Amino acid sequence: MAYTAQLKELVKIVEKTRPSRVGVDHPRMTPEERQEVLERFHPDFIDEGFRRIRVGVDKGSRLPQQMADIFESRSRLDGVELDLSKSDYEVDVLVIGGGGAGAAAALEAHGGGASVMIATKLRFGDANTMMAQGGIQAAVKANDRPDIHYLDIMGGGRFENIPELVRAAVLDAPQVIAWLEKLGAMFDKDEQGNMLAIHGGGTSRKRMHAARDYTGAEIMRTLRDEAYNREIKVVEFCPAVELLLDAKGRAAGAVLFNLETEEYLIARAKTVIIATGGSGRLHFQDFPTSNHYGATADGLILGYRAGAKTIYADSVQYHPTGGAYPPQLLGLLVTEKTRGLGATPLNVKGEQFVFHLETRDVESSAIIRECQERKLGVPLPTGVPAVWLDSPLIEIIHGEGTIERQLPAMLRQFARFDVDIRKDPMLIYPTLHYQNGGLLIDEHARSTVENLYVAGEAAGGIHGRNRLMGNSLLDILVFGRRAGRDAAAASREVTPGPVSLEHVQSYQRELEEAGITGDRVSPLLLPHYTHR
Amino acid sequence: MSATIPLIDIYVMGKQYMVPETLTIIEAMEYAGYHFKRGCGCRAGFCGACATVYRMAGDFELKVGLACQTKVEPGMYLTQIPFFPGRKANFDLEEIKPSVADFAQLYPEVFRCLGCSSCTKVCPQDIDVMQCIASIQQGDFTRAADISFDCVMCGLCVSRCPVHIVQYNAALTARRLYSRHIAPPSSQLKRRNEELKAGDFEAGIQELMKADKERLQELYNSRDIE
Ligand SMILES: Cc1cc2nc3c(=O)[nH]c(=O)nc-3n(C[C@H](O)[C@H](O)[C@H](O)COP(=O)(O)OP(=O)(O)OC[C@H]3O[C@@H](n4cnc5c(N)ncnc54)[C@H](O)[C@@H]3O)c2cc1C
Ligand code: FES
């Protein structure tokens, strides 16, 4: 889908202004300007996008509308007859979700001597982890230290992070990298074996470790392969639809739903780890998303119905550069490295309107302002808003061939739809990228419900209200491993007893008392698209 | 989706559907009424869940692609291959060595490669799969790792191999062998972990944990940047 004749005309304007823009830096915003653009245009500040949840342990707290819908829905098991005395699976530790956090948890729980099972919604590894390109942070180099990393994370999160969680993340980080190295993950290294490390947004040291531009994929496929090597039981296409609690209200398993046969299965466990990832597929405020197909916040509602508290669940990260055109690339991530190499955002007049390396939240807000308020977006045949990202600048600044060397995945992705990003600018708009908050955990990844652990993007508190690039791949492994170890140890103390869904029924009663009726059910499991 | 986009005909498992010409195969199937369970993962070309085989009307040649990264075309006859029963050999990475002998124990079929190049022709990631297999045969795990790095493990190569090699699993084993046993380990990383074990950074972090927001802000704003 090459550019239309009309777009080609507009490209000419960009080409015309290009010579005058080379080597000229757009001024950075002042702190006041940043605050203003955030408060007026960042989706987190758009009040209509949110409402207060009317039921549950966090009653009264603010949630994105679509997440509140999920929270204020019936259970899928409402009206379903289940014999809870039977069991289809019995294990020590049940891991729900087969992404990076789940795989790490399973490996460590297995290493701790527990019998482990991973139940996951799609295939093992169909997950946001597989899609991460940029890298993973760890303070490894001689000029860096965990406390410097700590300060970077706190500053990025606007100092609202939970200190104990940040401490755990930065102190475990070098161990996590060593663990991956030993498992044979192929990091970018120099000849001596030292890892190459670069900057990411908000880092004060170069501590982003990468595996080309497939960092998440490399981590995911390595951990998955190792889980298979150790013969850890994996049940695919069987999402959890509800947790099971024992008589003392402790997590004791889950009800799974076989997507293919549509039967419910009972998995009993002594401890349970939620590792179900993010919520991009809820499309808050109608944004497109960079997330995988199964990112529907299932773990949050499972945990919430069981009484687990949330934190910062109203805080969402929008990545400034999601694809806008060709339509096949809508929402897909254009890696931050593209701007890192010098590509700048431009309006329809070919003018730069924001410094290209503001933080993600500010950059996104400025792009939204350019389209919404100033009406200087690039008109697309599909009607979605967009601005230019002047990728050909990269070749002018760093020399011909740079894009092919440094951004091969991007070049390939756009070329598949007949856009050569070396010659023509890209069309982008912010995309829903990451769930900053989630279920509240402590430094052992324990939720506020006994024997229930949460790790990865489903957990909250580590990143405050804004995660920096490279700290998510880190946190899923840090807290995945911690969850696995603690859950394995704790499982030894548990004597299994009868399980129930009483908490689900009482949540339903609470909904009815609040006057919330209707047929909506959650978890969503899979989004439903019609493209009509 | 705006109503002016022209519709084209495609055939999903032989059945005709009219779909907007701008959609990817995944989107077109959704437009036609499919609600995916299998065959759809990242929707961005990274996970290999959506391997698809197709043929154009009037042509005999079988083509392949990732359904999330391929636009529909008029007269496309397609089906997905969401699962292929490829074998994986289990191993202990600490025990095995990057040697032809060890590899042959795990994947003997790799050494029966006929050199037909079907795997290379079929790869949607443009990987020279056959060269990767040849490198393993020669014991050059460094090269095999490098060549195969962009593999999304979609399984299309396996579906075409006349001698039943599971290229994506063999290549992954090669990459893990290379990374664990050939690439030198990071001495910086080793040193840092020894320091951590000795508790070297605990005091610095405790101090930051005790600091209030103003103090942290001050430290943050005055931190030096490499
Ligand atoms: C395009 C992209 C690029 C990124 N780049 C980076 C980067 O460079 N650096 C970085 O640090 N971070 C990056 N991130 C963020 C990071 O990749 C994710 O936040 C992280 O990988 C999440 O890991 P996870 O294990 O918590 O969740 P996931 O990896 O998403 O795994 C969750 C798993 O749970 C399954 N699941 C969901 N619901 C259920 C259910 N009900 N029952 C059972 N299973 C279920 C899902 O199918 C999935 O397999 C990126 C994210 C995206 C989307
Ligand atoms: S859905 Fe992941 S590669 Fe197509």
Side-chain angles (χ1 to χ4, degrees):
Chain A
M1 193 71 185
Y3 289 162
T4 58
Q6 194 198 0
L7 284 170
K8 279 187 186 142
E9 283 305 308
L10 295 173
V11 168
K12 285 188 188 147
I13 302 178
V14 172
E15 285 168 350
K16 210 153 127 200
T17 62
R18 192 174 289 139
S20 66
R21 289 183 278 107
V22 178
V24 182
D25 257 352
H26 193 89
R28 289 170 195 252
M29 287 190 207
T30 63
E32 294 73 34
E33 285 169 338
R34 276 195 208 117
Q35 194 59 29
E36 197 212 315
V37 74
L38 278 177
E39 285 178 12
R40 293 188 49 222
F41 295 97
H42 193 280
D44 277 6
F45 288 88
I46 307 299
D47 272 333
E48 303 89 84
F50 296 85
R51 72 171 189 263
R52 308 236 163 233
I53 166 94
R54 290 170 283 178
V55 291
V57 276
D58 294 331
K59 192 168 156 174
S61 68
R62 186 177 184 259
L63 289 182
Q65 295 282 4
Q66 290 83 345
M67 193 182 282
D69 285 348
I70 297 276
F71 277 39
E72 295 181 345
S73 289
R74 287 173 184 279
S75 168
R76 288 186 168 259
L77 298 179
D78 198 27
V80 175
E81 284 295 322
L82 280 180
D83 179 2
L84 295 182
S85 67
K86 71 157 200 171
S87 62
D88 298 285
Y89 304 103
E90 276 179 43
V91 286
D92 294 335
V93 179
L94 172 66
V95 179
I96 303 174
L107 286 170
E108 288 296 282
H110 177 265
S115 67
V116 187
M117 174 172 124
I118 299 176
T120 194
K121 185 156 64 182
L122 302 165
R123 300 179 312 169
F124 188 12
D126 289 347
N128 281 358
T129 304
M130 195 60 106
M131 309 176 74
Q133 303 169 32
I136 176 168
Q137 288 200 39
V140 173
K141 289 193 309 160
N143 72 343
D144 199 2
R145 293 192 314 267
D147 51 310
I148 303 178
H149 190 184
Y150 181 100
L151 197 58
D152 283 348
I153 294 185
M154 291 298 282
R158 306 181 200 144
F159 307 99
E160 292 180 277
N161 326 46
I162 298 176
E164 287 72 22
L165 301 183
V166 183
R167 171 181 179 275
V170 299
L171 287 180
D172 281 13
Q175 296 172 44
V176 160
I177 305 292
W179 183 62
L180 292 171
E181 187 188 51
K182 189 154 188 262
L183 287 173
M186 199 165 141
F187 281 106
D188 298 345
K189 288 180 164 188
D190 66 18
E191 254 123 60
Q192 284 76 48
N194 286 317
M195 303 212 177
L196 306 181
I198 58 168
H199 267 306
T203 54
S204 65
R205 295 289 183 279
K206 293 182 180 169
R207 70 166 82 84
M208 192 74 65
H209 299 75
R212 305 190 189 173
D213 50 1
Y214 285 95
T215 311
E218 178 59 3
I219 292 173
M220 189 70 240
R221 57 200 182 188
T222 302
L223 297 182
R224 178 175 60 192
D225 195 55
E226 190 58 17
Y228 287 141
N229 276 348
R230 302 206 196 152
E231 296 175 0
I232 289 172
K233 190 175 179 66
V234 181
V235 183
E236 297 179 322
F237 298 96
C238 273
V241 293
E242 234 36 279
L243 294 175
L244 292 164
L245 301 185
D246 69 10
K248 292 183 185 151
R250 304 177 302 187
V255 179
L256 312 179
F257 180 59
N258 182 331
L259 284 175
E260 278 145 344
T261 62
E262 306 205 332
E263 66 186 321
Y264 291 101
L265 302 163
I266 313 281
R268 287 158 174 275
K270 295 171 179 167
T271 52
V272 179
I273 301 172
I274 291 180
T276 51
S279 53
R281 293 275 157 197
L282 297 185
H283 298 286
F284 303 138
Q285 302 182 37
D286 294 331
F287 271 86
T289 186
S290 64
N291 285 191
H292 86 290
Y293 186 48
T296 50
D298 297 356
L300 298 198
I301 180 59
L302 257 58
Y304 194 70
R305 283 201 186 107
K309 290 180 81 62
T310 65
I311 181 168
Y312 305 143
D314 60 340
S315 169
V316 182
Q317 184 166 85
Y318 296 82
H319 198 291
T321 57
Y325 194 90
Q328 299 82 13
L329 297 176
L330 184 65
L332 301 200
L333 189 69
V334 171
T335 176
E336 196 152 300
K337 206 168 161 193
T338 317
R339 279 178 299 135
L341 287 167
T344 56
L346 309 175
N347 62 23
V348 68
K349 297 198 229 155
E351 303 161 344
Q352 190 173 351
F353 53 90
V354 59
F355 178 61
H356 61 298
L357 291 172
E358 296 284 359
T359 52
R360 286 182 181 177
D361 47 0
V362 171
E363 191 88 16
S364 292
S365 305
I367 294 170
I368 295 171
R369 173 173 66 191
E370 201 65 15
C371 297
Q372 267 183 15
E373 190 183 53
R374 300 183 178 160
K375 311 268 184 248
L376 290 175
V378 181
L380 296 184
T382 51
V384 303
V387 297
W388 296 113
L389 183 65
D390 199 11
S391 46
L393 263 186
I394 296 175
E395 304 265 299
I396 297 177
I397 300 170
H398 301 282
E400 237 170 81
T402 308
I403 290 183
E404 188 172 357
R405 270 196 316 278
Q406 301 268 343
L407 299 165
M410 284 293 95
L411 183 64
R412 177 187 286 149
Q413 204 160 43
F414 278 78
R416 273 174 174 153
F417 303 106
D418 299 326
V419 174
D420 185 344
I421 64 171
R422 294 169 298 193
K423 301 204 173 73
D424 284 330
M426 307 158 102
L427 283 159
I428 54 112
Y429 196 72
T431 185
L432 204 178
H433 187 54
Y434 182 78
Q435 171 181 290
N436 288 313
L439 295 170
L440 177 65
I441 56 167
D442 72 7
E443 68 269 32
H444 304 290
R446 297 179 189 137
S447 76
T448 55
V449 171
E450 215 177 321
N451 291 344
L452 179 64
Y453 296 77
V454 188
E457 199 170 332
I462 306 137
H463 309 290
R465 288 190 173 274
N466 180 42
R467 169 193 65 108
L468 299 180
M469 174 187 173
N471 281 331
S472 174
L473 284 178
L474 173 62
D475 107 58
I476 67 173
L477 302 179
V478 166
F479 293 98
R481 296 177 76 213
R482 283 176 173 241
R485 284 196 292 260
D486 207 274
S491 73
R492 285 194 282 274
E493 312 296 320
V494 179
T495 327
V499 292
S500 91
L501 286 164
E502 180 48 43
H503 62 286
V504 175
Q505 285 137 22
S506 77
Y507 192 90
Q508 178 59 31
R509 282 194 296 277
E510 217 189 316
L511 283 173
E512 280 158 23
E513 279 157 24
I516 303 165
T517 51
D519 296 335
R520 203 171 49 218
V521 293
S522 69
L524 186 62
L525 303 184
L526 296 172
H528 197 172
Y529 297 114
T530 62
H531 310 284
R532 299 272 165 173
Chain B
M1 197 55 62
S2 115
T4 56
I5 298 170
L7 300 182
I8 58 171
D9 60 333
I10 63 164
Y11 299 81
V12 181
M13 291 183 272
K15 210 186 267 175
Q16 187 191 30
Y17 298 94
M18 299 300 289
V19 300
E21 65 175 9
T22 52
L23 301 182
T24 63
I25 293 175
I26 279 199
E27 291 167 340
M29 287 177 69
E30 288 173 333
Y31 181 90
Y34 280 80
H35 190 191
F36 283 100
K37 292 170 183 169
R38 288 186 182 262
C40 177
C42 67
R43 302 176 73 108
F46 284 91
C47 78
C50 62
T52 299
V53 182
Y54 64 95
R55 183 176 68 71
M56 303 308 293
D59 195 355
F60 59 83
E61 193 193 347
L62 275 188
K63 300 182 177 189
V64 296
L66 298 173
C68 69
Q69 296 289 296
T70 309
K71 201 163 71 68
V72 287
E73 287 173 58
M76 197 179 229
Y77 282 75
L78 59 91
T79 190
Q80 284 196 304
I81 309 186
F83 177 82
F84 204 86
R87 182 180 73 94
K88 173 183 147 48
N90 290 350
F91 55 87
D92 181 340
L93 190 61
E94 297 302 308
E95 295 295 315
I96 60 166
K97 295 275 149 338
S99 70
V100 168
D102 278 10
F103 209 93
Q105 296 264 312
L106 297 176
Y107 289 106
E109 63 273 29
V110 159
F111 299 87
R112 294 206 305 258
C113 174
L114 303 173
C116 72
S117 204
S118 295
C119 50
T120 298
K121 282 183 214 140
V122 86
C123 180
Q125 292 287 89
D126 302 327
I127 294 168
D128 195 340
V129 187
M130 196 185 78
Q131 276 308 317
C132 168
I133 295 299
S135 305
I136 294 174
Q137 288 180 336
Q138 293 151 13
D140 189 346
F141 294 93
T142 305
R143 185 152 176 269
D146 181 52
I147 293 177
S148 69
F149 190 81
D150 289 0
C151 172
V152 294
M153 304 178 77
C154 66
L156 282 167
C157 47
V158 184
S159 76
R160 303 305 293 274
C161 181
V163 296
H164 314 302
I165 299 173
V166 183
Q167 291 88 342
Y168 61 82
N169 278 336
L172 176 54
T173 305
R175 288 196 301 275
R176 292 188 66 191
L177 277 168
Y178 160 77
S179 308
R180 174 68 187 91
H181 296 294
I182 298 174
S186 161
S187 52
Q188 264 175 3
L189 189 55
K190 187 157 172 272
R191 197 171 324 121
R192 178 48 45 90
N193 278 315
E194 283 160 7
E195 292 166 346
L196 276 166
K197 217 170 189 171
D200 283 7
F201 306 103
E202 200 53 62
I205 289 192
Q206 287 301 333
E207 199 167 309
L208 291 176
M209 287 175 74
K210 275 187 246 137
D212 60 15
K213 190 173 163 182
E214 273 74 75
R215 174 77 188 129
L216 280 177
Q217 220 148 10
E218 203 181 294
L219 288 169
Y220 182 74
N221 290 334
S222 61
R223 77 205 202 286
D224 62 309
I225 295 181
E226 180 181 356

